[in-house]
Amino acid sequence: MKLQRKNMLRASALGALVVSSALVLTACGSDDNTNTGGNASGKPSAAAAGDVKCDDAKGKLLASGSSAQKNAVDLWVKNYMAACSGVEVNYKSSSSGEGIVAFNQGTVGFAGSDSALKPEQVEDSKKICTGGQGINLPMVGGPIAIGFNVAGVDKLTLDAPTLANIFNDKIKKWDDEAIKKLNPGVNLPGTAIQAFHRSEDSGTTENLGKYLKAAAPDAWTYEPAKKWPAPGGQGASGSAGVASQVKGVDGAIGYFELSYASAQNIKTVDINTGAAAPVKASADSASKAIAAAKIAGTGSDLALKLDYTTKAEGAYPIVLVTYEVVCDKGNKAETLPTVKSFLGYTASDAGQKILSDNGYAPIPAEINTKVREVIKSLS
């Protein structure tokens, strides 16, 4: 049993080097996690813990929401709890929608969401945030990979209109002329396309929809939403479920955070944005796209507007930003110090470096400076 547990821990640590949000890593962490902000003793390194300020943090802090940021949160929690004795942070990785529901019910100190709060959700939050409201703090960025599994095809390029017509069931075979035109010299089979999407409400779905709506409005006529809007295709539960289907089905295509592709060696589509060369999904290419984001929120709300139509060289356009949703005013007195302390660490230089080290895209410095200021002002 001890040997089995040791092997499981070692596997978890190895996964931290390869994957991001798909990693199954508990808050306790592995004792062999040297490249993810910890060291062989299980305690954070000086660099990782350098920006942890425990201040008046105490007791237990509950949070829930986006699974896209799971690995980052797990690593943050590990380092934070090692530095702040007597404090417990428990983040339940579920979905953006579930996280916002829990936040507006007052059962968590903050929620993680891959989409900014809708106006009606902000209105609901006022019942919990006494004298204030829920706001969006951008904390984690990353690419949404388009994974594919077509026998004999190792490299594939698509553009927004072609991708839209695949997911809306108008392009049905892999040797369709639109796909062949984008992939000269590639021997594309006549295999039927098996398109997979999330079966439950998903921030990842909504962000893919934002890209398709912006970059291919004639082909993708649906408004961005957490619920999959298009006909055809097959649903699967969670990013893990979509990735599993793509991995196992010849002719499959689907979307999920890059970590799931990395973990299962799933090939990913290069996106033709109109730049000189198609762009691969990576943390670096996503960072280049997120760097062009503008703050669309007002006051303390820092919701971002992303440029999904970017043609900048090396900028991967299908990205998401995960927000930590908090009350600007009216936070519960018993959890406020821990919320400010923990989120202060996640937004710190050390906290954001964890993102760079683990396949995520850090929030641009200019925006992150404002995030830190807002966290300090929470009351």
Side-chain angles (χ1 to χ4, degrees):
M1 198 64 191
K2 290 182 178 179
L3 178 59
Q4 182 183 25
R5 176 171 174 77
K6 182 177 181 181
N7 289 336
M8 290 174 65
L9 291 173
R10 184 177 294 114
S12 178
L14 179 60
L17 302 177
V18 180
V19 305
S20 52
S21 58
L23 181 67
V24 181
L25 179 66
T26 66
C28 295
S30 164
D31 61 0
D32 187 24
N33 207 13
T34 55
N35 287 337
T36 55
N39 56 29
S41 68
K43 296 180 180 180
S45 66
D51 287 352
V52 176
K53 295 179 174 60
C54 303
D55 296 328
D56 297 323
K58 60 184 177 181
K60 179 183 290 188
L61 172 63
L62 299 179
S64 69
S66 165
S67 61
Q69 66 171 356
K70 173 180 165 49
N71 184 46
V73 175
D74 284 342
L75 296 171
W76 283 332
V77 167
K78 173 187 175 181
N79 291 335
Y80 181 81
M81 287 175 55
C84 299
S85 176
V87 181
E88 180 182 349
V89 179
N90 188 329
Y91 181 81
K92 178 184 177 184
S93 172
S94 51
S95 69
S96 298
E98 291 178 61
I100 291 173
V101 168
F103 177 77
N104 281 341
Q105 290 176 341
T107 59
V108 295
F110 72 90
S113 176
D114 301 329
S115 295
L117 293 168
K118 302 288 191 294
E120 61 271 21
Q121 293 170 332
V122 173
E123 194 61 32
D124 285 345
S125 73
K126 293 178 181 179
K127 302 171 187 175
I128 299 300
C129 306
T130 307
Q133 65 180 45
I135 57 172
N136 306 281
L137 300 179
M139 200 67 71
V140 181
I144 300 173
I146 307 298
F148 72 96
N149 178 5
V150 183
V153 178
D154 293 323
K155 183 177 176 59
L156 185 68
T157 296
L158 297 174
D159 60 11
T162 307
L163 192 60
N165 283 326
I166 287 173
F167 278 122
N168 67 19
D169 205 33
K170 292 184 178 179
I171 293 178
K172 299 178 182 292
K173 297 288 184 71
W174 279 110
D175 62 352
D176 188 275
E177 287 301 320
I179 301 177
K180 290 169 67 175
K181 185 176 180 181
L182 291 164
N183 295 273
V186 177
N187 185 19
L188 293 162
T191 308
I193 293 174
Q194 305 285 337
F196 290 91
H197 57 261
R198 293 280 288 270
S199 58
E200 77 285 8
D201 287 4
S202 161
T204 309
T205 294
E206 184 170 9
N207 280 280
L208 174 65
K210 289 178 180 178
Y211 162 72
L212 294 174
K213 181 68 173 177
D218 293 337
W220 194 259
T221 58
Y222 313 99
E223 291 303 316
K226 288 184 171 67
K227 184 176 180 62
W228 182 255
Q234 303 171 62
S237 179
S239 288
V242 175
S244 178
Q245 292 293 335
V246 172
K247 177 72 173 179
V249 176
D250 184 25
I253 187 170
Y255 60 94
F256 29 79
E257 291 76 26
L258 181 60
S259 59
Y260 292 91
S262 301
Q264 299 190 47
N265 293 317
I266 297 172
K267 294 183 286 290
T268 62
V269 171
D270 296 346
I271 301 298
N272 182 338
T273 64
V279 186
K280 294 183 178 297
S282 71
D284 287 343
S285 62
S287 290
K288 290 180 180 178
I290 294 172
K294 306 296 183 184
I295 294 176
T298 58
S300 297
D301 185 81
L302 300 179
L304 301 180
K305 181 176 178 58
L306 297 166
D307 180 8
Y308 294 102
T309 62
T310 179
K311 293 180 174 59
E313 296 299 328
Y316 184 81
I318 317 177
V319 295
L320 61 76
V321 169
T322 300
Y323 300 94
E324 312 311 337
V325 176
V326 296
C327 294
D328 58 355
K329 299 176 183 177
N331 288 275
K332 293 180 180 178
E334 62 269 27
T335 57
L336 175 60
T338 309
V339 168
K340 295 176 71 171
S341 172
F342 179 69
L343 294 184
Y345 167 56
T346 67
S348 70
D349 289 340
Q352 289 290 295
K353 187 176 186 301
I354 282 177
L355 302 181
S356 301
D357 291 345
N358 290 278
Y360 289 104
I363 300 303
E366 180 181 351
I367 296 171
N368 193 46
T369 296
K370 296 178 180 179
V371 171
R372 296 178 191 181
E373 292 172 355
V374 172
I375 292 170
K376 292 177 181 178
S377 73
L378 300 178
S379 62

